[in-house]
Amino acid sequence: MPEAVHAALPALFVSDLHLKEEEPATVAAFLDFLTGPARGAGSLFILGDLFEYWAGDDDLDAPFNQRVCAALRTLADHGVGVFFIAGNRDLLAGEGFARAAGLQLLADPCRVRFGHGEDAALVLLSHGDALCTDDLAYQAYRRQVRDPAWQAAFLAQPLTARKAFIENLRQQSEAAKREKAVEIMDVNAEAVATLLRAHRYPTLVHGHTHRPARHEHAIDGRHCVRWVLSDWHGRATWLAFDGRHFEAASA
């Protein structure tokens, strides 16, 4: 099992912002969040889908992407540790993005330990899409686009071609969602149990499903808690952790 990443408290968790120029209220909420609540944190964890899409790190020159990355770097320069797990919309975010934004890329899933010693809190983080195993078509797509060979071939295409492909894919995805049962797009209980069992029953925090809630699971006689993060629609929503308690908040 990989060593846990160490991070400072208090910690804030966000996901599924889907930032894009066409939704300025959400962008403004994020920038206000970075200069407001996030400034008082020890760590900020972004659990995927920060952007509506990310076509590759060679798109860093786009003014909108520059603006978001500069705001994140300012927070990091202020002394807040910023961490990022790629989602399904921004899975092509790489080291160039990380340098521009002053953040650390994390694997999915990732174990994070807050403090040192046996009593230090351990939290398991994920974007969450890998847990939606009932959606067989999506999981086949996920395996394809996360294959390093596929990504290398895709990134070798011109940026304009990649953006056109992504736009078409987004339209197909929205159409497919309307035809799927809501339950299929949620996490699978056995997939959750398998993940928590493999990581020794920690608290799990994830996004992706856009169904914010606190869930309790009984797994192998252990009591486990799973927090699902909210998506953003014109207002900031986050989960805060002080080392002992989690609390959902918004502004």
Side-chain angles (χ1 to χ4, degrees), residues 17-22 49-56 59 62 64-65 87-93 97 154 159-160 162-167 169-170:
L17 288 76
H18 295 269
L19 296 179
K20 56 183 178 180
E21 289 183 280
E22 294 80 3
D49 288 2
L50 171 64
F51 296 94
E52 176 67 8
Y53 73 91
W54 188 262
D59 199 22
F64 178 75
N65 294 338
N88 50 296
R89 298 298 187 103
D90 44 27
L91 60 91
L92 295 175
F97 162 70
F154 184 71
L159 181 59
T160 54
R162 277 178 268 147
K163 288 187 174 183
F165 176 87
I166 290 171
E167 180 57 34
L169 191 64
R170 287 167 59 200

PDB file of all heavy atoms in Angstrom, residues 17-22 49-56 59 62 64-65 87-93 97 154 159-160 162-167 169-170:
ATOM      1  N   LEU A  17     -16.410  21.566  -9.709  1.00  0.00           N
ATOM      2  CA  LEU A  17     -16.706  22.977  -9.948  1.00  0.00           C
ATOM      3  C   LEU A  17     -17.082  23.219 -11.412  1.00  0.00           C
ATOM      4  O   LEU A  17     -17.858  24.119 -11.709  1.00  0.00           O
ATOM      5  CB  LEU A  17     -15.502  23.846  -9.579  1.00  0.00           C
ATOM      6  CG  LEU A  17     -15.202  24.004  -8.087  1.00  0.00           C
ATOM      7  CD1 LEU A  17     -14.542  22.763  -7.499  1.00  0.00           C
ATOM      8  CD2 LEU A  17     -14.295  25.198  -7.852  1.00  0.00           C
ATOM      9  N   HIS A  18     -16.489  22.446 -12.322  1.00  0.00           N
ATOM     10  CA  HIS A  18     -16.762  22.555 -13.751  1.00  0.00           C
ATOM     11  C   HIS A  18     -16.605  24.001 -14.236  1.00  0.00           C
ATOM     12  O   HIS A  18     -17.484  24.555 -14.895  1.00  0.00           O
ATOM     13  CB  HIS A  18     -18.157  22.018 -14.085  1.00  0.00           C
ATOM     14  CG  HIS A  18     -18.300  20.547 -13.838  1.00  0.00           C
ATOM     15  ND1 HIS A  18     -18.048  19.609 -14.810  1.00  0.00           N
ATOM     16  CD2 HIS A  18     -18.653  19.837 -12.721  1.00  0.00           C
ATOM     17  CE1 HIS A  18     -18.241  18.398 -14.319  1.00  0.00           C
ATOM     18  NE2 HIS A  18     -18.607  18.509 -13.051  1.00  0.00           N
ATOM     19  N   LEU A  19     -15.489  24.609 -13.882  1.00  0.00           N
ATOM     20  CA  LEU A  19     -15.269  26.019 -14.213  1.00  0.00           C
ATOM     21  C   LEU A  19     -15.199  26.231 -15.719  1.00  0.00           C
ATOM     22  O   LEU A  19     -14.513  25.511 -16.444  1.00  0.00           O
ATOM     23  CB  LEU A  19     -13.972  26.507 -13.574  1.00  0.00           C
ATOM     24  CG  LEU A  19     -13.909  26.511 -12.047  1.00  0.00           C
ATOM     25  CD1 LEU A  19     -12.541  26.998 -11.591  1.00  0.00           C
ATOM     26  CD2 LEU A  19     -15.018  27.366 -11.448  1.00  0.00           C
ATOM     27  N   LYS A  20     -15.910  27.261 -16.186  1.00  0.00           N
ATOM     28  CA  LYS A  20     -15.852  27.668 -17.581  1.00  0.00           C
ATOM     29  C   LYS A  20     -16.273  29.126 -17.670  1.00  0.00           C
ATOM     30  O   LYS A  20     -17.015  29.629 -16.816  1.00  0.00           O
ATOM     31  CB  LYS A  20     -16.752  26.794 -18.453  1.00  0.00           C
ATOM     32  CG  LYS A  20     -18.200  26.734 -18.025  1.00  0.00           C
ATOM     33  CD  LYS A  20     -18.975  25.776 -18.923  1.00  0.00           C
ATOM     34  CE  LYS A  20     -20.429  25.655 -18.487  1.00  0.00           C
ATOM     35  NZ  LYS A  20     -21.185  24.723 -19.353  1.00  0.00           N
ATOM     36  N   GLU A  21     -15.801  29.778 -18.706  1.00  0.00           N
ATOM     37  CA  GLU A  21     -16.071  31.211 -18.868  1.00  0.00           C
ATOM     38  C   GLU A  21     -17.563  31.508 -18.973  1.00  0.00           C
ATOM     39  O   GLU A  21     -18.014  32.586 -18.576  1.00  0.00           O
ATOM     40  CB  GLU A  21     -15.354  31.733 -20.106  1.00  0.00           C
ATOM     41  CG  GLU A  21     -13.843  31.804 -19.959  1.00  0.00           C
ATOM     42  CD  GLU A  21     -13.182  32.392 -21.192  1.00  0.00           C
ATOM     43  OE1 GLU A  21     -13.006  31.646 -22.167  1.00  0.00           O
ATOM     44  OE2 GLU A  21     -12.849  33.602 -21.162  1.00  0.00           O
ATOM     45  N   GLU A  22     -18.334  30.560 -19.490  1.00  0.00           N
ATOM     46  CA  GLU A  22     -19.760  30.783 -19.708  1.00  0.00           C
ATOM     47  C   GLU A  22     -20.565  30.815 -18.405  1.00  0.00           C
ATOM     48  O   GLU A  22     -21.752  31.157 -18.437  1.00  0.00           O
ATOM     49  CB  GLU A  22     -20.326  29.681 -20.622  1.00  0.00           C
ATOM     50  CG  GLU A  22     -19.777  29.702 -22.031  1.00  0.00           C
ATOM     51  CD  GLU A  22     -18.405  29.056 -22.155  1.00  0.00           C
ATOM     52  OE1 GLU A  22     -17.895  28.536 -21.136  1.00  0.00           O
ATOM     53  OE2 GLU A  22     -17.837  29.072 -23.263  1.00  0.00           O
ATOM     54  N   ASP A  49     -12.558  17.455 -11.630  1.00  0.00           N
ATOM     55  CA  ASP A  49     -13.507  18.275 -12.384  1.00  0.00           C
ATOM     56  C   ASP A  49     -13.496  19.723 -11.902  1.00  0.00           C
ATOM     57  O   ASP A  49     -14.543  20.356 -11.766  1.00  0.00           O
ATOM     58  CB  ASP A  49     -14.917  17.689 -12.317  1.00  0.00           C
ATOM     59  CG  ASP A  49     -15.035  16.410 -13.147  1.00  0.00           C
ATOM     60  OD1 ASP A  49     -14.020  15.980 -13.724  1.00  0.00           O
ATOM     61  OD2 ASP A  49     -16.130  15.837 -13.211  1.00  0.00           O
ATOM     62  N   LEU A  50     -12.289  20.236 -11.673  1.00  0.00           N
ATOM     63  CA  LEU A  50     -12.136  21.664 -11.408  1.00  0.00           C
ATOM     64  C   LEU A  50     -12.585  22.439 -12.641  1.00  0.00           C
ATOM     65  O   LEU A  50     -13.267  23.467 -12.524  1.00  0.00           O
ATOM     66  CB  LEU A  50     -10.671  21.972 -11.086  1.00  0.00           C
ATOM     67  CG  LEU A  50     -10.286  23.450 -10.988  1.00  0.00           C
ATOM     68  CD1 LEU A  50     -11.014  24.122  -9.820  1.00  0.00           C
ATOM     69  CD2 LEU A  50      -8.779  23.608 -10.841  1.00  0.00           C
ATOM     70  N   PHE A  51     -12.205  21.950 -13.811  1.00  0.00           N
ATOM     71  CA  PHE A  51     -12.574  22.586 -15.070  1.00  0.00           C
ATOM     72  C   PHE A  51     -13.669  21.791 -15.763  1.00  0.00           C
ATOM     73  O   PHE A  51     -13.790  20.577 -15.581  1.00  0.00           O
ATOM     74  CB  PHE A  51     -11.360  22.661 -16.002  1.00  0.00           C
ATOM     75  CG  PHE A  51     -10.239  23.528 -15.491  1.00  0.00           C
ATOM     76  CD1 PHE A  51      -9.192  22.980 -14.765  1.00  0.00           C
ATOM     77  CD2 PHE A  51     -10.242  24.901 -15.732  1.00  0.00           C
ATOM     78  CE1 PHE A  51      -8.149  23.773 -14.302  1.00  0.00           C
ATOM     79  CE2 PHE A  51      -9.206  25.702 -15.272  1.00  0.00           C
ATOM     80  CZ  PHE A  51      -8.163  25.141 -14.547  1.00  0.00           C
ATOM     81  N   GLU A  52     -14.439  22.463 -16.572  1.00  0.00           N
ATOM     82  CA  GLU A  52     -15.419  21.772 -17.420  1.00  0.00           C
ATOM     83  C   GLU A  52     -14.703  20.812 -18.361  1.00  0.00           C
ATOM     84  O   GLU A  52     -15.189  19.726 -18.649  1.00  0.00           O
ATOM     85  CB  GLU A  52     -16.250  22.790 -18.202  1.00  0.00           C
ATOM     86  CG  GLU A  52     -17.229  22.180 -19.168  1.00  0.00           C
ATOM     87  CD  GLU A  52     -18.354  21.402 -18.498  1.00  0.00           C
ATOM     88  OE1 GLU A  52     -18.479  21.451 -17.263  1.00  0.00           O
ATOM     89  OE2 GLU A  52     -19.105  20.730 -19.226  1.00  0.00           O
ATOM     90  N   TYR A  53     -13.532  21.210 -18.827  1.00  0.00           N
ATOM     91  CA  TYR A  53     -12.681  20.296 -19.586  1.00  0.00           C
ATOM     92  C   TYR A  53     -11.256  20.834 -19.552  1.00  0.00           C
ATOM     93  O   TYR A  53     -11.022  22.021 -19.305  1.00  0.00           O
ATOM     94  CB  TYR A  53     -13.154  20.152 -21.041  1.00  0.00           C
ATOM     95  CG  TYR A  53     -12.869  21.355 -21.901  1.00  0.00           C
ATOM     96  CD1 TYR A  53     -11.680  21.449 -22.622  1.00  0.00           C
ATOM     97  CD2 TYR A  53     -13.788  22.397 -22.006  1.00  0.00           C
ATOM     98  CE1 TYR A  53     -11.408  22.564 -23.414  1.00  0.00           C
ATOM     99  CE2 TYR A  53     -13.523  23.504 -22.797  1.00  0.00           C
ATOM    100  CZ  TYR A  53     -12.333  23.584 -23.484  1.00  0.00           C
ATOM    101  OH  TYR A  53     -12.069  24.683 -24.253  1.00  0.00           O
ATOM    102  N   TRP A  54     -10.302  19.950 -19.767  1.00  0.00           N
ATOM    103  CA  TRP A  54      -8.890  20.320 -19.863  1.00  0.00           C
ATOM    104  C   TRP A  54      -8.315  19.554 -21.039  1.00  0.00           C
ATOM    105  O   TRP A  54      -8.189  18.333 -20.999  1.00  0.00           O
ATOM    106  CB  TRP A  54      -8.139  19.980 -18.574  1.00  0.00           C
ATOM    107  CG  TRP A  54      -6.741  20.508 -18.548  1.00  0.00           C
ATOM    108  CD1 TRP A  54      -5.593  19.826 -18.852  1.00  0.00           C
ATOM    109  CD2 TRP A  54      -6.328  21.840 -18.204  1.00  0.00           C
ATOM    110  NE1 TRP A  54      -4.497  20.636 -18.720  1.00  0.00           N
ATOM    111  CE2 TRP A  54      -4.915  21.894 -18.319  1.00  0.00           C
ATOM    112  CE3 TRP A  54      -7.010  22.981 -17.808  1.00  0.00           C
ATOM    113  CZ2 TRP A  54      -4.189  23.038 -18.063  1.00  0.00           C
ATOM    114  CZ3 TRP A  54      -6.287  24.139 -17.550  1.00  0.00           C
ATOM    115  CH2 TRP A  54      -4.895  24.157 -17.666  1.00  0.00           C
ATOM    116  N   ALA A  55      -7.955  20.274 -22.092  1.00  0.00           N
ATOM    117  CA  ALA A  55      -7.523  19.645 -23.345  1.00  0.00           C
ATOM    118  C   ALA A  55      -6.054  19.263 -23.342  1.00  0.00           C
ATOM    119  O   ALA A  55      -5.592  18.582 -24.259  1.00  0.00           O
ATOM    120  CB  ALA A  55      -7.815  20.566 -24.520  1.00  0.00           C
ATOM    121  N   GLY A  56      -5.305  19.693 -22.344  1.00  0.00           N
ATOM    122  CA  GLY A  56      -3.874  19.412 -22.275  1.00  0.00           C
ATOM    123  C   GLY A  56      -3.132  20.602 -21.711  1.00  0.00           C
ATOM    124  O   GLY A  56      -3.612  21.738 -21.755  1.00  0.00           O
ATOM    125  N   ASP A  59      -2.562  24.096 -23.253  1.00  0.00           N
ATOM    126  CA  ASP A  59      -3.634  25.099 -23.276  1.00  0.00           C
ATOM    127  C   ASP A  59      -3.503  26.076 -22.103  1.00  0.00           C
ATOM    128  O   ASP A  59      -4.427  26.834 -21.813  1.00  0.00           O
ATOM    129  CB  ASP A  59      -4.995  24.399 -23.231  1.00  0.00           C
ATOM    130  CG  ASP A  59      -6.131  25.291 -23.716  1.00  0.00           C
ATOM    131  OD1 ASP A  59      -5.853  26.260 -24.454  1.00  0.00           O
ATOM    132  OD2 ASP A  59      -7.292  25.020 -23.351  1.00  0.00           O
ATOM    133  N   ALA A  62      -4.176  29.940 -22.515  1.00  0.00           N
ATOM    134  CA  ALA A  62      -5.519  30.517 -22.625  1.00  0.00           C
ATOM    135  C   ALA A  62      -5.766  31.434 -21.429  1.00  0.00           C
ATOM    136  O   ALA A  62      -5.499  31.048 -20.279  1.00  0.00           O
ATOM    137  CB  ALA A  62      -6.562  29.407 -22.664  1.00  0.00           C
ATOM    138  N   PHE A  64      -8.289  32.317 -19.675  1.00  0.00           N
ATOM    139  CA  PHE A  64      -9.121  31.787 -18.595  1.00  0.00           C
ATOM    140  C   PHE A  64      -8.330  30.801 -17.744  1.00  0.00           C
ATOM    141  O   PHE A  64      -8.371  30.847 -16.504  1.00  0.00           O
ATOM    142  CB  PHE A  64     -10.364  31.107 -19.166  1.00  0.00           C
ATOM    143  CG  PHE A  64     -11.252  30.500 -18.112  1.00  0.00           C
ATOM    144  CD1 PHE A  64     -12.056  31.306 -17.315  1.00  0.00           C
ATOM    145  CD2 PHE A  64     -11.279  29.129 -17.903  1.00  0.00           C
ATOM    146  CE1 PHE A  64     -12.866  30.755 -16.326  1.00  0.00           C
ATOM    147  CE2 PHE A  64     -12.086  28.569 -16.927  1.00  0.00           C
ATOM    148  CZ  PHE A  64     -12.889  29.384 -16.132  1.00  0.00           C
ATOM    149  N   ASN A  65      -7.610  29.891 -18.385  1.00  0.00           N
ATOM    150  CA  ASN A  65      -6.806  28.921 -17.643  1.00  0.00           C
ATOM    151  C   ASN A  65      -5.704  29.616 -16.852  1.00  0.00           C
ATOM    152  O   ASN A  65      -5.398  29.221 -15.714  1.00  0.00           O
ATOM    153  CB  ASN A  65      -6.217  27.902 -18.601  1.00  0.00           C
ATOM    154  CG  ASN A  65      -7.278  27.038 -19.249  1.00  0.00           C
ATOM    155  OD1 ASN A  65      -8.384  26.909 -18.727  1.00  0.00           O
ATOM    156  ND2 ASN A  65      -6.956  26.451 -20.395  1.00  0.00           N
ATOM    157  N   GLY A  87     -10.201  14.549 -12.292  1.00  0.00           N
ATOM    158  CA  GLY A  87     -11.518  13.973 -12.496  1.00  0.00           C
ATOM    159  C   GLY A  87     -11.668  13.460 -13.914  1.00  0.00           C
ATOM    160  O   GLY A  87     -10.698  13.366 -14.674  1.00  0.00           O
ATOM    161  N   ASN A  88     -12.881  13.153 -14.301  1.00  0.00           N
ATOM    162  CA  ASN A  88     -13.097  12.683 -15.657  1.00  0.00           C
ATOM    163  C   ASN A  88     -13.071  13.822 -16.673  1.00  0.00           C
ATOM    164  O   ASN A  88     -12.812  13.603 -17.857  1.00  0.00           O
ATOM    165  CB  ASN A  88     -14.428  11.932 -15.762  1.00  0.00           C
ATOM    166  CG  ASN A  88     -15.591  12.697 -15.176  1.00  0.00           C
ATOM    167  OD1 ASN A  88     -15.624  12.954 -13.975  1.00  0.00           O
ATOM    168  ND2 ASN A  88     -16.551  13.070 -15.999  1.00  0.00           N
ATOM    169  N   ARG A  89     -13.299  15.069 -16.224  1.00  0.00           N
ATOM    170  CA  ARG A  89     -13.278  16.210 -17.154  1.00  0.00           C
ATOM    171  C   ARG A  89     -11.881  16.803 -17.316  1.00  0.00           C
ATOM    172  O   ARG A  89     -11.597  17.435 -18.318  1.00  0.00           O
ATOM    173  CB  ARG A  89     -14.230  17.300 -16.657  1.00  0.00           C
ATOM    174  CG  ARG A  89     -15.685  16.883 -16.568  1.00  0.00           C
ATOM    175  CD  ARG A  89     -16.262  16.496 -17.916  1.00  0.00           C
ATOM    176  NE  ARG A  89     -17.687  16.251 -17.848  1.00  0.00           N
ATOM    177  CZ  ARG A  89     -18.612  17.105 -18.259  1.00  0.00           C
ATOM    178  NH1 ARG A  89     -18.247  18.267 -18.780  1.00  0.00           N
ATOM    179  NH2 ARG A  89     -19.889  16.803 -18.171  1.00  0.00           N
ATOM    180  N   ASP A  90     -11.024  16.637 -16.310  1.00  0.00           N
ATOM    181  CA  ASP A  90      -9.685  17.242 -16.380  1.00  0.00           C
ATOM    182  C   ASP A  90      -8.584  16.204 -16.152  1.00  0.00           C
ATOM    183  O   ASP A  90      -7.554  16.488 -15.557  1.00  0.00           O
ATOM    184  CB  ASP A  90      -9.546  18.400 -15.383  1.00  0.00           C
ATOM    185  CG  ASP A  90     -10.126  18.093 -14.015  1.00  0.00           C
ATOM    186  OD1 ASP A  90     -10.172  16.906 -13.640  1.00  0.00           O
ATOM    187  OD2 ASP A  90     -10.553  19.033 -13.323  1.00  0.00           O
ATOM    188  N   LEU A  91      -8.816  14.996 -16.682  1.00  0.00           N
ATOM    189  CA  LEU A  91      -7.855  13.918 -16.468  1.00  0.00           C
ATOM    190  C   LEU A  91      -6.545  14.144 -17.197  1.00  0.00           C
ATOM    191  O   LEU A  91      -5.543  13.481 -16.909  1.00  0.00           O
ATOM    192  CB  LEU A  91      -8.463  12.578 -16.879  1.00  0.00           C
ATOM    193  CG  LEU A  91      -8.923  12.402 -18.326  1.00  0.00           C
ATOM    194  CD1 LEU A  91      -7.822  11.840 -19.200  1.00  0.00           C
ATOM    195  CD2 LEU A  91     -10.149  11.515 -18.400  1.00  0.00           C
ATOM    196  N   LEU A  92      -6.505  15.096 -18.142  1.00  0.00           N
ATOM    197  CA  LEU A  92      -5.273  15.387 -18.875  1.00  0.00           C
ATOM    198  C   LEU A  92      -4.431  16.470 -18.206  1.00  0.00           C
ATOM    199  O   LEU A  92      -3.406  16.865 -18.746  1.00  0.00           O
ATOM    200  CB  LEU A  92      -5.603  15.798 -20.313  1.00  0.00           C
ATOM    201  CG  LEU A  92      -6.243  14.708 -21.170  1.00  0.00           C
ATOM    202  CD1 LEU A  92      -6.642  15.265 -22.532  1.00  0.00           C
ATOM    203  CD2 LEU A  92      -5.306  13.512 -21.336  1.00  0.00           C
ATOM    204  N   ALA A  93      -4.872  16.947 -17.051  1.00  0.00           N
ATOM    205  CA  ALA A  93      -4.074  17.920 -16.307  1.00  0.00           C
ATOM    206  C   ALA A  93      -2.806  17.236 -15.796  1.00  0.00           C
ATOM    207  O   ALA A  93      -2.879  16.228 -15.091  1.00  0.00           O
ATOM    208  CB  ALA A  93      -4.887  18.490 -15.148  1.00  0.00           C
ATOM    209  N   PHE A  97       0.395  21.874 -15.653  1.00  0.00           N
ATOM    210  CA  PHE A  97      -0.690  22.487 -14.885  1.00  0.00           C
ATOM    211  C   PHE A  97      -0.305  22.601 -13.418  1.00  0.00           C
ATOM    212  O   PHE A  97      -0.538  23.640 -12.774  1.00  0.00           O
ATOM    213  CB  PHE A  97      -1.961  21.651 -15.039  1.00  0.00           C
ATOM    214  CG  PHE A  97      -2.998  21.920 -13.992  1.00  0.00           C
ATOM    215  CD1 PHE A  97      -3.685  23.126 -13.965  1.00  0.00           C
ATOM    216  CD2 PHE A  97      -3.287  20.962 -13.037  1.00  0.00           C
ATOM    217  CE1 PHE A  97      -4.654  23.376 -12.988  1.00  0.00           C
ATOM    218  CE2 PHE A  97      -4.246  21.206 -12.062  1.00  0.00           C
ATOM    219  CZ  PHE A  97      -4.930  22.418 -12.038  1.00  0.00           C
ATOM    220  N   PHE A 154      -3.649  10.988 -28.127  1.00  0.00           N
ATOM    221  CA  PHE A 154      -4.595  12.104 -28.141  1.00  0.00           C
ATOM    222  C   PHE A 154      -3.866  13.434 -28.015  1.00  0.00           C
ATOM    223  O   PHE A 154      -4.152  14.394 -28.744  1.00  0.00           O
ATOM    224  CB  PHE A 154      -5.595  11.938 -27.004  1.00  0.00           C
ATOM    225  CG  PHE A 154      -6.671  12.991 -26.981  1.00  0.00           C
ATOM    226  CD1 PHE A 154      -7.661  13.014 -27.949  1.00  0.00           C
ATOM    227  CD2 PHE A 154      -6.690  13.959 -25.986  1.00  0.00           C
ATOM    228  CE1 PHE A 154      -8.661  13.988 -27.940  1.00  0.00           C
ATOM    229  CE2 PHE A 154      -7.678  14.934 -25.960  1.00  0.00           C
ATOM    230  CZ  PHE A 154      -8.660  14.952 -26.947  1.00  0.00           C
ATOM    231  N   LEU A 159      -4.151  21.073 -30.789  1.00  0.00           N
ATOM    232  CA  LEU A 159      -5.029  21.502 -29.702  1.00  0.00           C
ATOM    233  C   LEU A 159      -6.451  21.764 -30.200  1.00  0.00           C
ATOM    234  O   LEU A 159      -7.427  21.404 -29.528  1.00  0.00           O
ATOM    235  CB  LEU A 159      -4.459  22.762 -29.045  1.00  0.00           C
ATOM    236  CG  LEU A 159      -5.242  23.349 -27.864  1.00  0.00           C
ATOM    237  CD1 LEU A 159      -5.382  22.333 -26.741  1.00  0.00           C
ATOM    238  CD2 LEU A 159      -4.558  24.621 -27.360  1.00  0.00           C
ATOM    239  N   THR A 160      -6.580  22.375 -31.360  1.00  0.00           N
ATOM    240  CA  THR A 160      -7.917  22.660 -31.886  1.00  0.00           C
ATOM    241  C   THR A 160      -8.712  21.377 -32.137  1.00  0.00           C
ATOM    242  O   THR A 160      -9.922  21.328 -31.894  1.00  0.00           O
ATOM    243  CB  THR A 160      -7.828  23.475 -33.182  1.00  0.00           C
ATOM    244  OG1 THR A 160      -6.965  22.800 -34.115  1.00  0.00           O
ATOM    245  CG2 THR A 160      -7.291  24.866 -32.910  1.00  0.00           C
ATOM    246  N   ARG A 162      -8.277  18.529 -30.556  1.00  0.00           N
ATOM    247  CA  ARG A 162      -8.629  17.966 -29.240  1.00  0.00           C
ATOM    248  C   ARG A 162      -9.854  18.662 -28.653  1.00  0.00           C
ATOM    249  O   ARG A 162     -10.749  18.023 -28.098  1.00  0.00           O
ATOM    250  CB  ARG A 162      -7.443  18.108 -28.288  1.00  0.00           C
ATOM    251  CG  ARG A 162      -6.403  17.006 -28.426  1.00  0.00           C
ATOM    252  CD  ARG A 162      -5.250  17.239 -27.487  1.00  0.00           C
ATOM    253  NE  ARG A 162      -4.183  17.993 -28.100  1.00  0.00           N
ATOM    254  CZ  ARG A 162      -3.391  18.858 -27.478  1.00  0.00           C
ATOM    255  NH1 ARG A 162      -3.568  19.113 -26.198  1.00  0.00           N
ATOM    256  NH2 ARG A 162      -2.436  19.476 -28.117  1.00  0.00           N
ATOM    257  N   LYS A 163      -9.894  19.985 -28.768  1.00  0.00           N
ATOM    258  CA  LYS A 163     -11.028  20.731 -28.214  1.00  0.00           C
ATOM    259  C   LYS A 163     -12.316  20.379 -28.946  1.00  0.00           C
ATOM    260  O   LYS A 163     -13.385  20.256 -28.316  1.00  0.00           O
ATOM    261  CB  LYS A 163     -10.756  22.233 -28.294  1.00  0.00           C
ATOM    262  CG  LYS A 163      -9.714  22.718 -27.303  1.00  0.00           C
ATOM    263  CD  LYS A 163      -9.611  24.235 -27.310  1.00  0.00           C
ATOM    264  CE  LYS A 163      -8.685  24.729 -26.230  1.00  0.00           C
ATOM    265  NZ  LYS A 163      -8.616  26.212 -26.165  1.00  0.00           N
ATOM    266  N   ALA A 164     -12.251  20.203 -30.246  1.00  0.00           N
ATOM    267  CA  ALA A 164     -13.435  19.830 -31.010  1.00  0.00           C
ATOM    268  C   ALA A 164     -13.915  18.439 -30.605  1.00  0.00           C
ATOM    269  O   ALA A 164     -15.121  18.200 -30.456  1.00  0.00           O
ATOM    270  CB  ALA A 164     -13.126  19.861 -32.504  1.00  0.00           C
ATOM    271  N   PHE A 165     -12.980  17.519 -30.400  1.00  0.00           N
ATOM    272  CA  PHE A 165     -13.327  16.164 -29.969  1.00  0.00           C
ATOM    273  C   PHE A 165     -13.986  16.194 -28.592  1.00  0.00           C
ATOM    274  O   PHE A 165     -15.000  15.526 -28.365  1.00  0.00           O
ATOM    275  CB  PHE A 165     -12.061  15.299 -29.934  1.00  0.00           C
ATOM    276  CG  PHE A 165     -12.291  13.908 -29.412  1.00  0.00           C
ATOM    277  CD1 PHE A 165     -12.695  12.891 -30.275  1.00  0.00           C
ATOM    278  CD2 PHE A 165     -12.106  13.611 -28.065  1.00  0.00           C
ATOM    279  CE1 PHE A 165     -12.911  11.607 -29.791  1.00  0.00           C
ATOM    280  CE2 PHE A 165     -12.327  12.335 -27.581  1.00  0.00           C
ATOM    281  CZ  PHE A 165     -12.725  11.328 -28.441  1.00  0.00           C
ATOM    282  N   ILE A 166     -13.415  16.975 -27.685  1.00  0.00           N
ATOM    283  CA  ILE A 166     -13.955  17.055 -26.326  1.00  0.00           C
ATOM    284  C   ILE A 166     -15.358  17.652 -26.330  1.00  0.00           C
ATOM    285  O   ILE A 166     -16.249  17.176 -25.620  1.00  0.00           O
ATOM    286  CB  ILE A 166     -13.005  17.877 -25.431  1.00  0.00           C
ATOM    287  CG1 ILE A 166     -11.711  17.096 -25.172  1.00  0.00           C
ATOM    288  CG2 ILE A 166     -13.684  18.226 -24.103  1.00  0.00           C
ATOM    289  CD1 ILE A 166     -10.632  17.900 -24.494  1.00  0.00           C
ATOM    290  N   GLU A 167     -15.575  18.688 -27.113  1.00  0.00           N
ATOM    291  CA  GLU A 167     -16.895  19.300 -27.191  1.00  0.00           C
ATOM    292  C   GLU A 167     -17.934  18.307 -27.697  1.00  0.00           C
ATOM    293  O   GLU A 167     -19.040  18.216 -27.160  1.00  0.00           O
ATOM    294  CB  GLU A 167     -16.861  20.529 -28.090  1.00  0.00           C
ATOM    295  CG  GLU A 167     -18.198  21.226 -28.234  1.00  0.00           C
ATOM    296  CD  GLU A 167     -18.795  21.660 -26.911  1.00  0.00           C
ATOM    297  OE1 GLU A 167     -18.035  22.026 -25.989  1.00  0.00           O
ATOM    298  OE2 GLU A 167     -20.046  21.623 -26.787  1.00  0.00           O
ATOM    299  N   LEU A 169     -17.699  15.083 -27.457  1.00  0.00           N
ATOM    300  CA  LEU A 169     -17.843  14.065 -26.418  1.00  0.00           C
ATOM    301  C   LEU A 169     -18.741  14.557 -25.293  1.00  0.00           C
ATOM    302  O   LEU A 169     -19.563  13.800 -24.752  1.00  0.00           O
ATOM    303  CB  LEU A 169     -16.455  13.700 -25.868  1.00  0.00           C
ATOM    304  CG  LEU A 169     -16.372  12.474 -24.967  1.00  0.00           C
ATOM    305  CD1 LEU A 169     -16.749  11.223 -25.745  1.00  0.00           C
ATOM    306  CD2 LEU A 169     -14.963  12.338 -24.399  1.00  0.00           C
ATOM    307  N   ARG A 170     -18.625  15.822 -24.930  1.00  0.00           N
ATOM    308  CA  ARG A 170     -19.476  16.397 -23.887  1.00  0.00           C
ATOM    309  C   ARG A 170     -20.945  16.336 -24.286  1.00  0.00           C
ATOM    310  O   ARG A 170     -21.811  15.993 -23.476  1.00  0.00           O
ATOM    311  CB  ARG A 170     -19.071  17.847 -23.613  1.00  0.00           C
ATOM    312  CG  ARG A 170     -17.768  18.017 -22.851  1.00  0.00           C
ATOM    313  CD  ARG A 170     -17.289  19.449 -22.893  1.00  0.00           C
ATOM    314  NE  ARG A 170     -18.281  20.364 -22.327  1.00  0.00           N
ATOM    315  CZ  ARG A 170     -18.314  21.668 -22.568  1.00  0.00           C
ATOM    316  NH1 ARG A 170     -17.441  22.206 -23.395  1.00  0.00           N
ATOM    317  NH2 ARG A 170     -19.217  22.434 -22.008  1.00  0.00           N
TER     318      ARG A 170
END
